[in-house]
Coordinates of all heavy atoms in Angstrom, one line a residue:
M809 N 81.4 42.3 -54.2 CA 81.7 41.4 -55.3 C 80.8 41.6 -56.5 O 81.2 41.6 -57.6 CB 81.6 40.0 -54.7 CG 80.9 38.9 -55.5 SD 80.7 37.4 -54.7 CE 79.0 37.4 -54.4
L810 N 79.5 41.8 -56.3 CA 78.6 42.1 -57.4 C 78.9 43.4 -58.0 O 78.8 43.5 -59.3 CB 77.1 42.0 -56.9 CG 76.6 40.6 -56.4 CD1 75.2 40.7 -55.9 CD2 76.8 39.6 -57.5
W811 N 79.2 44.4 -57.2 CA 79.5 45.7 -57.7 C 80.7 45.7 -58.7 O 80.7 46.2 -59.8 CB 79.8 46.7 -56.6 CG 80.2 48.0 -56.9 CD1 79.4 49.0 -57.5 CD2 81.5 48.6 -56.7 NE1 80.2 50.2 -57.6 CE2 81.5 49.9 -57.2 CE3 82.7 48.1 -56.2 CZ2 82.5 50.8 -57.1 CZ3 83.8 49.0 -56.1 CH2 83.7 50.3 -56.6
R812 N 81.8 44.9 -58.2 CA 83.0 44.8 -59.1 C 82.6 44.0 -60.3 O 83.1 44.3 -61.4 CB 84.1 44.1 -58.3 CG 84.7 45.0 -57.3 CD 85.9 44.5 -56.7 NE 86.3 45.4 -55.7 CZ 87.6 45.7 -55.4 NH1 88.5 45.2 -56.1 NH2 87.8 46.6 -54.5
A813 N 81.8 42.9 -60.2 CA 81.5 42.1 -61.4 C 80.7 42.9 -62.4 O 80.7 42.7 -63.6 CB 80.7 40.9 -60.9
A814 N 79.9 43.9 -61.9 CA 79.1 44.8 -62.7 C 80.0 45.9 -63.4 O 79.5 46.7 -64.1 CB 78.0 45.4 -62.0
G815 N 81.3 45.9 -63.1 CA 82.2 46.9 -63.7 C 82.4 48.2 -62.8 O 82.7 49.2 -63.3
E816 N 82.1 48.1 -61.5 CA 82.2 49.2 -60.6 C 81.5 50.4 -61.1 O 82.0 51.5 -61.2 CB 83.7 49.5 -60.3 CG 84.4 48.3 -59.7 CD 85.9 48.6 -59.4 OE1 86.3 49.8 -59.5 OE2 86.6 47.6 -59.0
P817 N 80.1 50.3 -61.3 CA 79.4 51.4 -61.8 C 79.3 52.6 -60.8 O 79.5 52.4 -59.6 CB 78.0 50.8 -62.1 CG 77.9 49.6 -61.2 CD 79.3 49.1 -61.1
A818 N 79.1 53.7 -61.3 CA 79.0 54.9 -60.5 C 77.8 54.7 -59.5 O 76.8 54.2 -59.8 CB 78.7 56.1 -61.3
A819 N 78.1 55.2 -58.3 CA 77.1 55.1 -57.2 C 76.4 56.5 -57.1 O 77.0 57.5 -57.2 CB 77.7 54.7 -56.0
D820 N 75.1 56.5 -56.9 CA 74.4 57.7 -56.8 C 73.4 57.8 -55.6 O 72.7 58.8 -55.5 CB 73.6 58.0 -58.1 CG 72.6 56.9 -58.4 OD1 72.5 56.0 -57.7 OD2 72.0 57.1 -59.5
A821 N 73.4 56.8 -54.7 CA 72.5 56.9 -53.5 C 73.2 57.7 -52.4 O 74.4 57.8 -52.3 CB 72.2 55.5 -53.0
D822 N 72.4 58.3 -51.6 CA 72.8 59.1 -50.5 C 72.7 58.2 -49.2 O 71.6 58.0 -48.7 CB 72.0 60.3 -50.3 CG 72.5 61.2 -49.1 OD1 73.6 60.9 -48.6 OD2 71.8 62.1 -48.7
L823 N 73.8 57.6 -48.8 CA 73.8 56.7 -47.6 C 73.3 57.4 -46.4 O 72.8 56.8 -45.5 CB 75.2 56.1 -47.4 CG 75.6 55.1 -48.5 CD1 77.0 54.5 -48.1 CD2 74.6 54.0 -48.6
L824 N 73.5 58.7 -46.3 CA 73.1 59.4 -45.1 C 71.6 59.5 -45.0 O 71.1 59.8 -43.9 CB 73.8 60.8 -45.0 CG 75.3 60.8 -44.9 CD1 75.8 62.2 -44.9 CD2 75.8 60.0 -43.7
A825 N 70.9 59.2 -46.1 CA 69.4 59.2 -46.0 C 68.9 57.9 -45.4 O 67.7 57.9 -45.0 CB 68.9 59.3 -47.4
L826 N 69.8 56.9 -45.2 CA 69.4 55.7 -44.6 C 69.6 55.8 -43.1 O 70.5 56.5 -42.6 CB 70.2 54.5 -45.1 CG 70.1 54.3 -46.6 CD1 71.1 53.2 -47.1 CD2 68.7 53.8 -47.0
P827 N 68.7 55.1 -42.3 CA 68.9 55.2 -40.8 C 70.3 54.9 -40.3 O 70.7 55.6 -39.3 CB 67.8 54.2 -40.3 CG 66.9 54.0 -41.4 CD 67.6 54.2 -42.7
D828 N 71.0 54.0 -40.9 CA 72.3 53.6 -40.4 C 73.3 53.7 -41.5 O 74.4 53.1 -41.5 CB 72.3 52.2 -39.8 CG 71.8 51.2 -40.7 OD1 71.4 51.5 -41.8 OD2 71.8 50.0 -40.3
G829 N 73.1 54.6 -42.5 CA 74.0 54.8 -43.6 C 75.3 55.3 -43.2 O 76.3 55.0 -43.8
A830 N 75.4 56.1 -42.2 CA 76.7 56.6 -41.7 C 77.6 55.6 -41.1 O 78.8 55.8 -41.0 CB 76.5 57.7 -40.7
E831 N 77.1 54.4 -40.8 CA 77.9 53.3 -40.3 C 78.5 52.4 -41.3 O 79.3 51.6 -41.0 CB 77.0 52.4 -39.4 CG 76.4 53.1 -38.2 CD 75.4 52.3 -37.4 OE1 75.5 51.1 -37.5 OE2 74.4 52.9 -36.9
V832 N 78.2 52.7 -42.6 CA 78.9 51.9 -43.7 C 80.3 52.3 -43.8 O 80.7 53.5 -43.8 CB 78.1 52.2 -45.0 CG1 78.9 51.5 -46.2 CG2 76.7 51.7 -45.0
S833 N 81.2 51.3 -43.8 CA 82.6 51.5 -43.9 C 83.0 52.2 -45.2 O 82.4 52.0 -46.2 CB 83.4 50.2 -43.8 OG 83.2 49.6 -42.6
P834 N 84.0 53.1 -45.1 CA 84.3 53.8 -46.3 C 84.7 52.9 -47.5 O 84.3 53.2 -48.7 CB 85.6 54.6 -45.9 CG 85.4 54.8 -44.4 CD 84.8 53.5 -44.0
W835 N 85.3 51.8 -47.3 CA 85.7 50.9 -48.4 C 84.5 50.2 -49.0 O 84.5 49.8 -50.2 CB 86.7 49.8 -47.9 CG 86.1 48.9 -46.9 CD1 86.2 49.0 -45.5 CD2 85.3 47.7 -47.0 NE1 85.6 48.0 -44.8 CE2 85.0 47.2 -45.8 CE3 84.8 47.1 -48.1 CZ2 84.2 46.1 -45.6 CZ3 84.1 45.9 -48.0 CH2 83.8 45.4 -46.7
A836 N 83.3 50.2 -48.3 CA 82.1 49.6 -48.8 C 81.1 50.6 -49.3 O 80.1 50.3 -49.9 CB 81.5 48.8 -47.8
A837 N 81.4 51.9 -49.2 CA 80.4 53.0 -49.5 C 80.0 52.9 -51.0 O 78.8 52.9 -51.2 CB 81.0 54.3 -49.2
D838 N 80.9 52.9 -51.9 CA 80.5 52.9 -53.3 C 79.7 51.7 -53.7 O 78.6 51.8 -54.3 CB 81.7 53.0 -54.2 CG 82.3 54.4 -54.3 OD1 81.6 55.3 -53.9 OD2 83.5 54.5 -54.7
P839 N 80.1 50.4 -53.3 CA 79.2 49.3 -53.6 C 77.8 49.4 -53.0 O 76.8 49.0 -53.6 CB 80.0 48.1 -53.1 CG 81.4 48.6 -53.1 CD 81.4 50.0 -52.8
V840 N 77.7 49.8 -51.7 CA 76.5 49.9 -51.1 C 75.6 51.0 -51.7 O 74.4 50.8 -51.9 CB 76.6 50.2 -49.6 CG1 75.3 50.4 -48.9 CG2 77.3 49.0 -48.9
E841 N 76.2 52.1 -52.1 CA 75.5 53.2 -52.8 C 75.0 52.7 -54.1 O 73.9 53.2 -54.6 CB 76.4 54.4 -53.0 CG 76.7 55.2 -51.7 CD 77.7 56.3 -51.9 OE1 78.3 56.4 -53.0 OE2 77.9 57.1 -50.9
W842 N 75.6 51.8 -54.7 CA 75.1 51.2 -56.0 C 74.0 50.2 -55.7 O 73.0 50.1 -56.4 CB 76.3 50.6 -56.7 CG 75.9 49.7 -57.9 CD1 75.5 50.1 -59.1 CD2 75.8 48.3 -57.9 NE1 75.1 49.0 -59.9 CE2 75.4 47.9 -59.2 CE3 76.1 47.3 -57.0 CZ2 75.2 46.5 -59.5 CZ3 75.9 45.9 -57.3 CH2 75.5 45.6 -58.6
A843 N 74.2 49.4 -54.7 CA 73.3 48.2 -54.4 C 71.9 48.7 -53.9 O 71.0 48.0 -54.1 CB 73.9 47.2 -53.5
V844 N 71.9 49.8 -53.2 CA 70.6 50.2 -52.6 C 69.6 50.6 -53.7 O 68.5 50.1 -53.8 CB 70.8 51.3 -51.6 CG1 69.5 52.0 -51.2 CG2 71.5 50.7 -50.4
P845 N 70.0 51.6 -54.6 CA 69.0 51.9 -55.7 C 68.7 50.8 -56.7 O 67.6 50.8 -57.3 CB 69.6 53.2 -56.4 CG 71.0 53.2 -55.9 CD 71.2 52.4 -54.7
T846 N 69.6 49.9 -56.8 CA 69.3 48.8 -57.8 C 68.3 47.8 -57.1 O 67.8 46.9 -57.8 CB 70.6 48.0 -58.1 OG1 71.1 47.4 -57.0 CG2 71.6 48.9 -58.8
G847 N 68.1 47.9 -55.8 CA 67.2 47.0 -55.1 C 67.9 45.7 -54.6 O 67.2 44.9 -54.0
L848 N 69.2 45.6 -54.8 CA 69.8 44.4 -54.2 C 69.8 44.4 -52.7 O 69.7 43.4 -52.1 CB 71.3 44.3 -54.8 CG 71.4 44.1 -56.3 CD1 72.9 44.1 -56.6 CD2 70.7 42.9 -56.7
L849 N 70.0 45.6 -52.2 CA 70.0 45.8 -50.7 C 68.8 46.6 -50.4 O 68.6 47.8 -50.9 CB 71.2 46.5 -50.2 CG 72.5 45.7 -50.4 CD1 73.7 46.5 -49.8 CD2 72.5 44.3 -49.7
R850 N 67.9 46.1 -49.6 CA 66.7 46.9 -49.2 C 66.5 47.1 -47.8 O 65.6 47.8 -47.3 CB 65.4 46.1 -49.7 CG 65.4 45.9 -51.2 CD 64.2 45.2 -51.6 NE 64.2 44.9 -53.0 CZ 63.4 44.1 -53.7 NH1 62.5 43.4 -53.0 NH2 63.5 43.9 -55.0
G851 N 67.4 46.6 -47.0 CA 67.3 46.8 -45.5 C 66.4 45.8 -44.9 O 65.7 45.1 -45.5
Y852 N 66.4 45.8 -43.6 CA 65.6 44.9 -42.8 C 64.1 45.4 -42.8 O 63.8 46.5 -42.6 CB 66.1 44.9 -41.3 CG 67.4 44.2 -41.1 CD1 68.5 44.9 -40.8 CD2 67.4 42.8 -41.2 CE1 69.7 44.2 -40.6 CE2 68.6 42.1 -41.0 CZ 69.8 42.9 -40.7 OH 70.9 42.2 -40.5
N853 N 63.3 44.4 -43.2 CA 61.8 44.7 -43.2 C 61.5 46.0 -43.9 O 60.6 46.7 -43.5 CB 61.3 44.7 -41.8 CG 61.5 43.4 -41.1 OD1 61.3 42.3 -41.7 ND2 61.9 43.4 -39.8
H854 N 62.2 46.3 -45.0 CA 62.0 47.5 -45.8 C 62.0 48.8 -44.9 O 61.4 49.8 -45.3 CB 60.6 47.4 -46.5 CG 60.6 46.2 -47.4 ND1 61.3 46.2 -48.6 CD2 60.0 45.0 -47.3 CE1 61.1 45.0 -49.2 NE2 60.3 44.3 -48.5
T855 N 62.8 48.8 -43.9 CA 63.0 50.0 -43.1 C 64.1 50.8 -43.6 O 64.3 52.0 -43.1 CB 63.3 49.6 -41.6 OG1 64.6 48.9 -41.6 CG2 62.2 48.7 -41.0
G856 N 65.0 50.3 -44.4 CA 66.1 51.0 -44.9 C 67.4 50.8 -44.0 O 68.4 51.2 -44.3
E857 N 67.2 50.1 -42.9 CA 68.3 49.8 -42.0 C 69.1 48.7 -42.6 O 68.6 47.6 -42.8 CB 67.8 49.5 -40.6 CG 67.2 50.7 -39.9 CD 66.8 50.3 -38.5 OE1 67.3 49.3 -37.9 OE2 66.0 51.1 -37.9
L858 N 70.4 48.9 -42.9 CA 71.2 47.9 -43.5 C 72.0 47.1 -42.5 O 72.5 46.0 -42.8 CB 72.2 48.6 -44.5 CG 71.5 49.3 -45.6 CD1 72.6 50.0 -46.4 CD2 70.7 48.4 -46.5
A859 N 72.2 47.6 -41.3 CA 73.0 46.9 -40.2 C 74.3 46.5 -40.8 O 74.7 45.4 -40.8 CB 72.2 45.8 -39.7
P860 N 75.1 47.5 -41.3 CA 76.4 47.2 -41.9 C 77.4 46.5 -41.0 O 78.3 45.8 -41.5 CB 76.9 48.5 -42.4 CG 76.2 49.5 -41.5 CD 74.9 48.9 -41.2
G861 N 77.3 46.6 -39.7 CA 78.2 45.9 -38.8 C 77.8 44.5 -38.5 O 78.6 43.7 -37.9
D862 N 76.6 44.0 -38.9 CA 76.2 42.7 -38.7 C 76.7 41.7 -39.8 O 76.8 42.1 -40.9 CB 74.7 42.6 -38.7 CG 74.0 43.3 -37.5 OD1 74.8 43.8 -36.6 OD2 72.8 43.4 -37.4
P863 N 77.0 40.5 -39.4 CA 77.3 39.5 -40.4 C 76.1 39.2 -41.3 O 74.9 39.2 -40.8 CB 77.7 38.3 -39.6 CG 77.2 38.4 -38.3 CD 77.0 39.9 -38.1
I864 N 76.3 38.9 -42.6 CA 75.2 38.5 -43.4 C 74.9 37.0 -43.3 O 75.8 36.2 -43.1 CB 75.5 38.9 -44.9 CG1 74.3 38.7 -45.8 CG2 76.7 38.0 -45.4 CD1 74.5 39.3 -47.2
T865 N 73.6 36.7 -43.2 CA 73.3 35.3 -43.1 C 73.2 34.6 -44.5 O 73.2 35.3 -45.5 CB 71.9 35.1 -42.4 OG1 70.9 35.7 -43.3 CG2 71.8 35.9 -41.1
R866 N 73.1 33.3 -44.5 CA 73.0 32.6 -45.8 C 71.7 33.0 -46.5 O 71.7 33.2 -47.7 CB 73.1 31.1 -45.6 CG 74.5 30.6 -45.4 CD 74.5 29.1 -45.4 NE 74.1 28.7 -44.0 CZ 73.9 27.5 -43.6 NH1 74.0 26.5 -44.5 NH2 73.7 27.2 -42.4
A867 N 70.7 33.1 -45.7 CA 69.4 33.5 -46.3 C 69.4 34.9 -46.9 O 68.9 35.2 -48.0 CB 68.3 33.5 -45.2
Q868 N 70.1 35.8 -46.2 CA 70.2 37.2 -46.8 C 71.1 37.2 -48.0 O 70.7 37.9 -49.0 CB 70.8 38.1 -45.7 CG 69.9 38.4 -44.6 CD 70.6 39.1 -43.4 OE1 71.8 38.9 -43.2 NE2 69.9 39.8 -42.6
L869 N 72.2 36.5 -48.0 CA 73.0 36.4 -49.2 C 72.3 35.8 -50.4 O 72.3 36.2 -51.5 CB 74.3 35.7 -48.9 CG 75.2 35.5 -50.1 CD1 75.7 36.9 -50.7 CD2 76.5 34.7 -49.7
A870 N 71.5 34.7 -50.1 CA 70.7 34.0 -51.1 C 69.7 35.0 -51.7 O 69.5 35.0 -53.0 CB 70.0 32.8 -50.6
M871 N 69.1 35.9 -50.9 CA 68.2 36.8 -51.4 C 68.8 37.9 -52.3 O 68.3 38.2 -53.4 CB 67.4 37.5 -50.3 CG 66.3 38.5 -50.8 SD 65.1 37.8 -51.9 CE 64.2 36.7 -50.8
V872 N 70.0 38.4 -51.9 CA 70.7 39.3 -52.7 C 71.1 38.7 -54.1 O 70.9 39.3 -55.1 CB 72.0 39.8 -52.0 CG1 72.9 40.7 -52.9 CG2 71.6 40.7 -50.8
L873 N 71.6 37.5 -54.1 CA 72.0 36.8 -55.3 C 70.8 36.5 -56.2 O 70.8 36.7 -57.4 CB 72.7 35.5 -55.0 CG 74.1 35.7 -54.3 CD1 74.7 34.3 -54.0 CD2 75.0 36.5 -55.2
Y874 N 69.6 36.2 -55.6 CA 68.4 36.0 -56.3 C 67.9 37.3 -57.0 O 67.6 37.3 -58.1 CB 67.3 35.5 -55.4 CG 65.9 35.5 -56.0 CD1 65.6 34.5 -56.9 CD2 65.0 36.4 -55.7 CE1 64.3 34.4 -57.5 CE2 63.8 36.4 -56.3 CZ 63.4 35.4 -57.2 OH 62.2 35.4 -57.8
R875 N 68.0 38.4 -56.2 CA 67.6 39.7 -56.8 C 68.5 40.1 -57.9 O 68.0 40.6 -58.9 CB 67.6 40.8 -55.7 CG 66.6 40.7 -54.7 CD 66.7 41.7 -53.6 NE 65.7 41.5 -52.6 CZ 66.0 41.9 -51.3 NH1 67.1 42.4 -50.9 NH2 65.1 41.7 -50.4
Q876 N 69.8 39.8 -57.8 CA 70.7 40.1 -58.9 C 70.4 39.3 -60.1 O 70.4 39.8 -61.2 CB 72.2 39.9 -58.5 CG 73.2 40.1 -59.6 CD 73.1 41.5 -60.2 OE1 73.0 42.5 -59.5 NE2 73.2 41.6 -61.5
A877 N 70.2 38.0 -59.9 CA 69.9 37.1 -61.1 C 68.6 37.5 -61.8 O 68.5 37.6 -63.0 CB 69.8 35.7 -60.6
L878 N 67.6 37.9 -61.0 CA 66.3 38.3 -61.5 C 66.5 39.7 -62.3 O 66.0 39.8 -63.4 CB 65.3 38.5 -60.4 CG 63.9 38.8 -60.8 CD1 63.3 37.6 -61.6 CD2 63.0 39.0 -59.5
A879 N 67.2 40.6 -61.7 CA 67.5 41.9 -62.4 C 68.2 41.7 -63.7 O 68.0 42.4 -64.6 CB 68.2 42.8 -61.4
A880 N 69.2 40.8 -63.7 CA 69.9 40.5 -64.9 C 69.1 40.0 -66.1 O 69.3 40.3 -67.2 CB 71.1 39.5 -64.6
V881 N 68.0 39.3 -65.7 CA 67.1 38.8 -66.7 C 66.1 39.9 -67.1 O 65.8 40.1 -68.3 CB 66.3 37.6 -66.2 CG1 65.2 37.2 -67.1 CG2 67.3 36.4 -66.0
E882 N 65.6 40.6 -66.2 CA 64.6 41.7 -66.5 C 65.2 42.9 -67.1 O 64.5 43.6 -67.9 CB 63.9 42.1 -65.2 CG 63.0 40.9 -64.6 CD 62.3 41.3 -63.3 OE1 62.7 42.3 -62.7 OE2 61.4 40.6 -62.9
Q883 N 66.4 43.3 -66.7 CA 67.1 44.5 -67.2 C 68.5 44.2 -67.6 O 69.4 44.7 -67.0 CB 67.0 45.6 -66.2 CG 65.6 46.0 -65.7 CD 65.6 46.9 -64.6 OE1 66.7 47.3 -64.1 NE2 64.5 47.4 -64.2
P884 N 68.7 43.4 -68.6 CA 70.1 43.0 -69.0 C 71.0 44.2 -69.3 O 72.2 44.1 -69.0 CB 69.9 42.1 -70.2 CG 68.6 42.4 -70.7 CD 67.8 42.9 -69.6
A885 N 70.5 45.3 -69.8 CA 71.4 46.4 -70.1 C 72.0 47.1 -68.9 O 73.0 47.6 -68.9 CB 70.6 47.4 -71.0
L886 N 71.3 47.0 -67.8 CA 71.7 47.6 -66.5 C 72.6 46.7 -65.7 O 73.2 47.2 -64.7 CB 70.5 48.1 -65.7 CG 69.6 49.1 -66.4 CD1 68.4 49.4 -65.5 CD2 70.4 50.4 -66.7
H887 N 72.6 45.4 -66.0 CA 73.3 44.5 -65.1 C 74.2 43.6 -66.0 O 74.1 42.4 -66.0 CB 72.3 43.6 -64.4 CG 71.4 44.4 -63.5 ND1 71.8 44.7 -62.2 CD2 70.2 45.0 -63.6 CE1 70.9 45.4 -61.6 NE2 69.9 45.6 -62.4
R888 N 75.2 44.2 -66.6 CA 76.1 43.5 -67.4 C 77.3 43.2 -66.5 O 77.9 44.0 -65.8 CB 76.6 44.3 -68.6 CG 75.5 44.5 -69.6 CD 76.0 45.2 -70.8 NE 74.8 45.5 -71.6 CZ 74.8 46.0 -72.8 NH1 76.0 46.3 -73.3 NH2 73.7 46.1 -73.5
F889 N 77.7 41.9 -66.5 CA 78.8 41.5 -65.7 C 80.0 41.2 -66.6 O 79.9 40.7 -67.7 CB 78.5 40.2 -64.9 CG 77.6 40.6 -63.8 CD1 76.2 40.5 -63.9 CD2 78.1 40.9 -62.6 CE1 75.4 40.9 -62.8 CE2 77.3 41.2 -61.5 CZ 76.0 41.2 -61.6
Q890 N 81.2 41.5 -66.1 CA 82.4 41.3 -66.7 C 83.0 40.0 -66.1 O 82.9 39.8 -64.9 CB 83.4 42.4 -66.5 CG 82.9 43.7 -67.0 CD 83.8 44.9 -66.6 OE1 84.7 44.7 -65.9 NE2 83.5 46.1 -67.1
F891 N 83.7 39.2 -67.0 CA 84.4 38.0 -66.5 C 85.6 38.5 -65.7 O 86.3 39.3 -66.1 CB 84.8 37.1 -67.6 CG 85.6 36.0 -67.1 CD1 85.0 34.9 -66.5 CD2 87.0 35.9 -67.3 CE1 85.7 33.8 -66.1 CE2 87.7 34.9 -66.8 CZ 87.1 33.8 -66.2
V892 N 85.7 38.0 -64.5 CA 86.8 38.4 -63.6 C 87.7 37.1 -63.4 O 87.2 36.1 -62.9 CB 86.3 38.9 -62.2 CG1 87.5 39.2 -61.3 CG2 85.4 40.1 -62.4
H893 N 88.9 37.3 -63.9 CA 89.8 36.1 -63.8 C 90.3 36.1 -62.3 O 90.9 37.0 -61.8 CB 91.0 36.3 -64.8 CG 91.8 35.1 -64.9 ND1 91.3 33.8 -65.1 CD2 93.1 34.9 -65.0 CE1 92.2 32.9 -65.2 NE2 93.4 33.6 -65.2
L894 N 90.1 35.0 -61.7 CA 90.4 34.8 -60.3 C 91.8 34.2 -60.0 O 92.1 33.9 -58.8 CB 89.3 34.0 -59.6 CG 87.9 34.6 -59.6 CD1 86.9 33.7 -59.0 CD2 87.9 36.0 -59.0
S895 N 92.6 34.0 -61.0 CA 93.9 33.3 -60.7 C 94.8 34.1 -59.8 O 95.6 33.5 -59.1 CB 94.6 33.1 -62.1 OG 95.0 34.3 -62.6
F896 N 94.6 35.4 -59.7 CA 95.4 36.2 -58.8 C 95.2 35.8 -57.3 O 96.0 36.0 -56.5 CB 95.1 37.7 -58.9 CG 93.8 38.1 -58.4 CD1 93.7 38.6 -57.1 CD2 92.7 38.1 -59.2 CE1 92.4 39.0 -56.6 CE2 91.4 38.5 -58.7 CZ 91.3 38.9 -57.4
L897 N 94.1 35.2 -57.0 CA 93.8 34.7 -55.7 C 94.6 33.5 -55.3 O 94.8 33.3 -54.1 CB 92.3 34.3 -55.5 CG 91.3 35.5 -55.6 CD1 89.9 34.9 -55.6 CD2 91.5 36.5 -54.5
F898 N 95.1 32.8 -56.2 CA 95.8 31.6 -56.0 C 97.3 31.6 -56.3 O 98.0 30.6 -56.2 CB 95.2 30.4 -56.8 CG 93.7 30.3 -56.5 CD1 92.8 30.8 -57.5 CD2 93.3 29.8 -55.3 CE1 91.5 30.7 -57.2 CE2 91.9 29.7 -55.1 CZ 91.0 30.2 -56.0
S899 N 97.8 32.8 -56.5 CA 99.3 32.9 -56.8 C 100.1 33.3 -55.6 O 99.6 33.6 -54.6 CB 99.5 34.0 -57.9 OG 99.0 35.2 -57.6

């Protein structure tokens, strides 16, 4: 969701360098490759393990959203969001 809101920027991280990077689903690869170098996703206890098969907790999601909000303030040029019209969800 954040990757799309950011305009689907090009991803440049190597997921295979992460301990469990090969487990990331193909549909999520580009967003995860973008989120890791931006610091939004850091893995468990800074180990780099993302546990892509595990559900995200409220605390983890809150931390990702906090990091995004902080990054948008500190580096606005790198974190520009586009307005996404959500009416298609309700049609």
